[in-house]
Amino acid sequence: MTHDVRTPLSPRLGADDRHALRTRIHETLLMEIVDGTLPPGAALDEEHTAERLRVPRPGVREALLTLSFQRLVEYTGADTARVTDTDIGEARHIAAVLHGLYRTALLTAPWPMADDRLQALHNCAAAHAEAAAHGDGSEAATDEAALWETTVLTCANRPLYDAVTHLAPVWKRARRLHLSAPSGHETDWGPLLDACTAGDRPRALHHLDEHWARVDQRLGHAADRPEGTLS
């Protein structure tokens, strides 16, 4: 079964070179997978997808290869793929890896943090809390990812940033599939940000560890729930 979703990619009047177009195709399909427009099991074949997005087929092929590398799709034939599922065990593993990467960011970032980084963190935290209060889980997840991305940027470590960028959309989808709206604890970034503002790295690490321990606990509870029930 194929899915007719989203409007075609708007042309950029020749502004796209091959790499830029491939990136735009990948980002479009990535968004559709992460937000659930393309659910687990959805079929993606090169020809139909190229027609739907009105883009050259080679660009779709390259985008699917990238999505396959991210483990968001798996090939079912030479030119066909399907959106993969993510079970609780894999979600917990992804969360644990991200926890380690974010911990490394705090350990290796220059302290105290620069004022512009601190302000960016506060802005992301405020946006996250507002989205969560309105029950907008997708926006809350985006704002949380932006907060952690800003944290990683402070350490100016490109391999670390690339690793987080690679895993962030995979985690966002896993979270959407397995976690309900964030709890009050998960929308309160005050203690972590206060520690960062004070230049107290040990305290910041403590609050970071507490946050990801709560995430793992929630995933563990989700694994224990009977299928189809909500927390």
Side-chain angles (χ1 to χ4, degrees):
M1 176 182 177
T2 55
H3 290 252
D4 292 303
V5 294
R6 297 293 172 92
T7 55
L9 287 175
S10 57
R12 290 189 172 175
L13 301 178
D16 279 336
D17 59 19
R18 177 180 173 184
H19 174 73
L21 180 59
R22 179 188 63 191
T23 299
R24 292 178 62 216
I25 296 170
H26 170 259
E27 289 176 348
T28 298
L29 294 176
L30 178 66
M31 184 186 306
E32 292 178 345
I33 293 170
V34 168
D35 69 13
T37 303
L38 286 170
L44 283 167
D45 68 87
E46 292 178 6
E47 182 177 4
H48 178 270
T49 303
E51 290 176 355
R52 175 169 70 83
L53 298 180
R54 296 182 186 174
V55 295
R57 187 166 172 174
V60 172
R61 182 177 301 118
E62 292 173 339
L64 288 178
L65 282 170
T66 302
L67 291 169
S68 175
F69 178 66
Q70 291 178 286
R71 298 181 64 183
L72 289 171
V73 305
E74 59 186 6
Y75 279 94
T76 55
D79 55 4
T80 59
R82 63 178 290 276
V83 178
T84 58
D85 202 349
T86 302
D87 62 24
I88 294 287
E90 185 175 3
R92 295 182 80 172
H93 176 69
I94 295 168
V97 172
L98 282 172
H99 176 197
L101 292 173
Y102 296 138
R103 207 173 199 286
T104 301
L106 285 185
L107 283 168
T108 59
W111 284 67
M113 288 186 178
D115 289 343
D116 59 336
R117 296 296 188 199
L118 287 169
Q119 186 58 54
L121 289 175
H122 281 282
N123 292 343
C124 294
H128 177 265
E130 182 178 356
H134 287 86
D136 190 341
S138 178
E139 183 61 31
T142 298
D143 294 327
E144 180 184 344
L147 185 145
W148 291 118
E149 181 179 295
T150 301
T151 303
V152 173
L153 282 172
T154 65
C155 70
N157 183 319
R158 183 55 187 265
L160 177 64
Y161 180 78
D162 287 346
V164 168
T165 302
H166 177 80
L167 276 178
V170 184
W171 164 243
K172 185 176 177 181
R173 184 180 73 129
R175 175 175 176 167
R176 177 183 59 79
L177 290 173
H178 299 296
L179 291 180
S180 55
S183 65
H185 283 302
E186 289 174 303
T187 61
D188 181 15
W189 297 96
L192 174 60
L193 298 184
D194 289 345
C196 292
T197 301
D200 190 337
R201 196 192 311 256
R203 186 154 58 97
L205 288 167
H206 170 74
H207 291 304
L208 181 147
D209 291 342
E210 279 195 333
H211 171 81
W212 286 94
R214 287 193 296 269
V215 170
D216 184 70
Q217 185 178 45
R218 289 182 68 206
L219 286 169
H221 289 162
D224 293 337
R225 289 198 306 266
E227 187 174 354
T229 63
L230 297 176
S231 58

